[in-house]
């Protein structure tokens, strides 16, 4: 088995092989370039190479084109002649082939459903998803703490809604323990949850939650290529970015340390990566930087796909060792500045000016730099990217449906499971409290009746008719005593009964 992925030909007459070493593939990478310059094809051939080497891949299909990985390219394809010519130029023996693919879709239409629980997503990512203020994020953190303390599982959005209602009702007590819990902040979070539901976000949260092992499979020695249908998801860009960041965080938290493996355990492509960092708070950027820095020791390579390297924060960009830079256009002063910055991130090649080369490369061509066997970036090269072996462009709907039906994942995630969680538990406890209150009220009514009978009996024993308005001093004393007893029973015992139920209402399971 090869220890590298052949990416194309560079140097004079494109005769020098440009390769991505598998033992350095977990050092992350970047695929950048303007729209229409060939980023998607580069992503496709990288996915093919990793799969052929037995490395599972996860990628998002923003335009629907990458579904072609599941079908073989053919000589009848309209670009076959151009592909053959390019292959001859770079010394590639082009063989058409298909690859093992599993389709996923948050909405369950173009792939198997994929879900996470609210608890797994956590307050930081949810705050980012709902664009909460610092104060609102603080209240959300309080809600998650309460859920942990009270044993209330947060699985879907209705669980979070029910918990926020309880937090709002007990804001005074919680404020003494955790700081100010403003009802206005609770209301704002509830409104943002409604917006999230309207965007289809409720489809993401629930069970059965995704098992990471289902994305790290091999089939007949080839790595499974997991394709997330993202064309509809891109209508909610924050949901898209938050989901991918959650998945990356889950990989970081759950996978064991493996050091420097001969090849990655998984390669993760983050398309439209600028969406992750647009208006992102510093805490979130720091989180991404930390994950990118540490996850490579767990055998995961992360490749950001975006138009301009400037879309990636510098601390993250500095960790991307394998780079493919397609053409950038410099029409404005800002464009020229960004072009210069992009060129400065490469090791200079004395044969050409890097900034000029980035502007001049055509479709299917790129400026590349990969890590050598010592982990040092190689000098930049103008590279003619190899043609893909799989189909260029999307597969048809019947083919996709057939692949989904024959998948090992068919049926595993299709039906949502709604087990008892925070919503159901809070409702049961509230129902129990309401029933206890009703019983207390009935007891009070019974005590009222007994008190009236007691006063009537006192008047009768004193020789006074029941309807006689005049009362003796002893009768007045007896009546007053009865009133005190009734008041005590109603005001203390009744309340004590209800308080006993409500006081134990949220002491866990």
């Amino acid at each position: 088995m090869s220890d590298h992925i052949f990416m194309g030909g560079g140097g004079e007459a494109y005769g020098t092989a440009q390769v991505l070493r598998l033992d350095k593939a977990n050092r992350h990478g970047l695929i950048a370039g303007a729209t229409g310059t060939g980023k998607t094809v580069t992503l496709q051939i990288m996915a093919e190479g990793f799969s052929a080497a037995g490395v599972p891949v996860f990628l998002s299909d923003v335009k629907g084109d990458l579904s072609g990985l599941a079908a073989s390219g053919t000589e009848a394809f309209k670009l076959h002649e151009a592909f053959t010519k390019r292959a001859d130029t770079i010394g590639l023996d082009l063989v058409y082939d298909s690859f093992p693919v599993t389709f996923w879709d948050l909405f369950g239409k173009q792939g198997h459903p994929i879900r996470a629980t609210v608890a797994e997503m956590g307050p930081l990512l949810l705050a980012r998803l709902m664009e909460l203020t610092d104060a609102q994020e603080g209240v959300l953190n309080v809600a998650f703490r309460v859920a942990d303390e009270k044993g209330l599982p947060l699985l879907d959005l209705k669980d979070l809604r029910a918990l926020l209602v309880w937090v709002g009702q007990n804001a005074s007590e919680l404020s003494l323990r955790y700081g100010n819990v403003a009802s206005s902040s609770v209301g704002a979070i509830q409104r943002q949850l409604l917006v999230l539901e309207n965007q289809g976000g409720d489809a993401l949260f629930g069970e059965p939650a995704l098992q990471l092992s289902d994305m790290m499979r091999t089939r007949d020695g080839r790595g499974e290529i997991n394709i997330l249908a993202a064309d509809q998801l891109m209508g909610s860009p924050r949901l898209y970015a938050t989901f991918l960041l959650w998945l990356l965080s889950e990989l970081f938290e759950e996978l064991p340390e493996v050091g420097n493996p001969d090849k990655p355990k998984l390669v993760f492509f983050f398309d439209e990566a600028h969406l992750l960092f647009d208006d992102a708070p510093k805490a979130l950027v720091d989180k991404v930087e930390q994950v990118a820095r540490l996850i490579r020791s767990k055998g995961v390579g992360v490749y950001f796909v975006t138009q301009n390297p400037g879309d990636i924060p510098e601390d993250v960009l500095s960790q991307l060792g394998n780079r493919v830079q397609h053409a950038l256009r410099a029409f404005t002063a800002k464009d020229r500045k960004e072009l210069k910055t992009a060129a400065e991130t490469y090791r200079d090649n004395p044969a050409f000016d890097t900034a000029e080369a980035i502007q001049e490369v055509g479709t299917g061509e790129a400026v590349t730099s990969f890590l050598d066997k010592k982990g040092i970036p190689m000098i930049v090269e103008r590279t003619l990217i190899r043609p893909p072996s799989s189909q260029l462009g999307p597969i048809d709907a019947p083919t996709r449906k057939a692949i989904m039906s024959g998948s090992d994942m068919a049926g595993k995630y299709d039906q949502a499971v709604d087990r008892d969680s925070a919503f159901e538990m809070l409702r049961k406890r509230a129902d129990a409290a309401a029933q206890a209150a009703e019983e207390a009220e009935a007891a009070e009514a019974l005590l009222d009746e007994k008190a009236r009978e007691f006063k009537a009996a006192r008047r009768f024993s004193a020789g006074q008719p029941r309807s006689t308005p005049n009362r003796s001093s002893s009768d007045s004393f007896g009546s007053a005593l009865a009133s005190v007893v009734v008041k005590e029973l109603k005001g203390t015992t009744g309340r004590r009964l209800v308080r006993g139920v409500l006081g134990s209402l949220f002491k866990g399971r």
Side-chain angles (χ1 to χ4, degrees):
M1 181 180 293
S2 176
D3 63 354
H4 63 264
I5 298 173
F6 178 72
M7 294 296 300
E12 185 176 354
Y14 302 115
T16 304
Q18 301 299 302
V19 300
L20 171 59
R21 295 180 60 92
L22 288 173
D23 62 350
K24 298 296 183 291
N26 65 328
R27 301 291 184 91
H28 311 322
L30 173 72
I31 303 174
T35 301
T37 55
K39 296 192 301 296
T40 300
V41 175
T42 297
L43 194 163
Q44 183 170 344
I45 64 171
M46 277 192 178
E48 291 178 357
F50 282 121
S51 177
V55 178
V57 172
F58 177 88
L59 55 86
S60 51
D61 191 5
V62 174
K63 296 178 291 185
D65 295 344
L66 292 171
S67 61
L69 281 159
S72 174
T74 65
E75 295 184 3
F77 193 63
K78 63 181 179 180
L79 290 178
H80 169 66
E81 184 176 346
F83 281 175
T84 302
K85 182 178 179 180
R86 185 188 299 186
D88 291 340
T89 301
I90 62 178
L92 171 69
D93 181 17
L94 179 60
V95 177
Y96 292 113
D97 200 359
S98 61
F99 296 84
V101 165
T102 300
F103 293 109
W104 302 92
D105 185 1
L106 260 66
F107 305 106
K109 297 178 180 178
Q110 300 184 72
H112 308 294
I114 186 168
R115 303 180 188 87
T117 66
V118 170
E120 288 173 335
M121 186 68 67
L124 176 63
L125 291 181
L126 279 174
R128 160 69 168 163
L129 179 57
M130 295 188 288
E131 302 181 71
L132 302 184
T133 65
D134 290 342
Q136 293 160 3
E137 183 179 347
V139 172
L140 191 62
N141 275 281
V142 170
F144 272 75
R145 172 63 67 86
V146 169
D148 290 340
E149 292 178 350
K150 307 300 182 183
L152 300 170
L154 296 176
L155 304 182
D156 50 31
L157 292 187
K158 71 177 186 298
D159 289 331
L160 184 55
R161 279 194 176 282
L163 180 62
L164 287 169
V165 170
W166 186 89
V167 168
Q169 292 172 342
N170 295 271
S172 298
E173 178 185 349
L174 294 173
S175 294
L176 295 176
R177 296 177 60 189
Y178 303 113
N180 185 40
V181 177
S183 58
S184 58
S185 293
V186 175
I189 298 172
Q190 294 281 37
R191 289 192 296 273
Q192 289 301 104
L193 281 175
L194 180 61
V195 173
L196 179 59
E197 288 176 347
N198 291 339
Q199 293 177 344
D202 55 336
L204 169 59
F205 298 102
E207 290 186 319
L210 175 69
Q211 296 180 12
L212 295 182
S213 58
D214 287 337
M215 287 196 170
M216 303 181 68
R217 298 173 295 128
T218 59
R219 195 191 311 176
D220 299 327
R222 290 189 165 193
E224 194 77 15
I225 300 177
N226 300 276
I227 300 180
L228 175 68
D231 47 352
Q232 181 181 352
L233 185 58
M234 288 303 294
S236 303
R238 281 190 182 271
L239 180 59
Y240 167 78
T242 303
F243 166 73
L244 292 186
L245 183 55
W246 164 78
L247 183 56
L248 191 60
S249 299
E250 287 293 294
L251 290 167
F252 171 70
E253 291 173 5
E254 293 192 17
L255 295 181
E257 296 279 343
V258 295
N260 294 307
D262 293 335
K263 61 183 180 182
K265 301 296 182 184
L266 176 74
V267 171
F268 186 101
F269 288 94
F270 203 132
D271 202 358
E272 300 293 339
H274 66 279
L275 296 174
L276 176 59
F277 303 104
D278 285 351
D279 302 321
K282 186 178 185 303
L284 184 60
V285 175
D286 290 344
K287 172 81 170 176
V288 176
E289 190 273 333
Q290 178 193 32
V291 170
R293 177 164 44 86
L294 299 177
I295 201 172
R296 72 184 189 186
S297 65
K298 301 193 175 189
V300 177
V302 182
Y303 288 73
F304 294 92
V305 184
T306 189
Q307 292 196 13
N308 196 305
D311 297 333
I312 311 296
E314 186 173 350
D315 288 342
V316 178
L317 186 63
S318 64
Q319 299 180 54
L320 310 183
N322 301 292
R323 302 188 182 187
V324 179
Q325 175 68 66
H326 290 275
L328 286 177
R329 311 306 180 199
F331 299 114
T332 67
K334 181 182 178 182
D335 292 340
R336 289 189 291 272
K337 182 179 179 180
E338 291 177 342
L339 174 63
K340 181 180 178 181
T341 301
E344 289 173 348
T345 62
Y346 291 92
R347 281 183 61 191
D348 288 336
N349 187 328
F352 58 87
D353 180 271
T354 305
E356 290 182 1
I358 293 175
Q359 291 186 83
E360 294 172 354
V361 290
T363 301
E365 190 180 9
V367 171
T368 64
S369 175
F370 302 102
L371 298 178
D372 64 16
K373 62 181 179 179
K374 295 182 178 180
I376 301 173
M378 300 174 65
I379 63 171
V380 64
E381 290 284 3
R382 290 185 63 155
T383 302
L384 190 61
I385 301 297
R386 60 152 292 176
S389 297
S390 55
Q391 177 176 306
L392 190 65
I395 59 176
D396 56 32
T399 302
R400 180 189 288 265
K401 185 176 180 180
I403 292 173
M404 290 172 57
S405 299
S407 171
D408 294 342
M409 297 297 103
K412 182 171 183 178
Y413 296 99
D414 292 351
Q415 296 298 321
V417 176
D418 189 14
R419 64 183 175 94
D420 278 1
S421 50
F423 174 80
E424 289 80 11
M425 295 168 69
L426 287 171
R427 183 175 61 183
K428 288 177 182 178
R429 295 175 184 182
D431 290 344
Q435 182 178 355
E438 290 177 0
E439 292 174 356
E441 290 177 359
E444 290 175 1
L446 180 60
L447 288 172
D448 285 341
E449 179 64 25
K450 294 296 185 182
R452 286 193 294 270
E453 292 178 359
F454 174 75
K455 288 189 286 185
R458 291 279 297 179
R459 286 195 297 269
F460 181 77
S461 64
Q464 296 180 2
R466 293 182 181 230
S467 59
T468 302
N470 298 324
R471 300 177 182 176
S472 66
S473 59
S474 61
D475 181 50
S476 297
F477 174 77
S479 177
L481 178 61
S483 298
V484 170
V485 172
V486 172
K487 181 178 180 180
E488 173 64 17
L489 288 172
K490 292 175 66 177
T492 303
T493 307
R495 285 201 304 269
R496 187 175 296 148
L497 174 61
V498 177
R499 189 183 303 121
V501 175
L502 293 179
S504 63
L505 188 57
F506 299 106
K507 290 185 178 177
R509 294 175 181 266

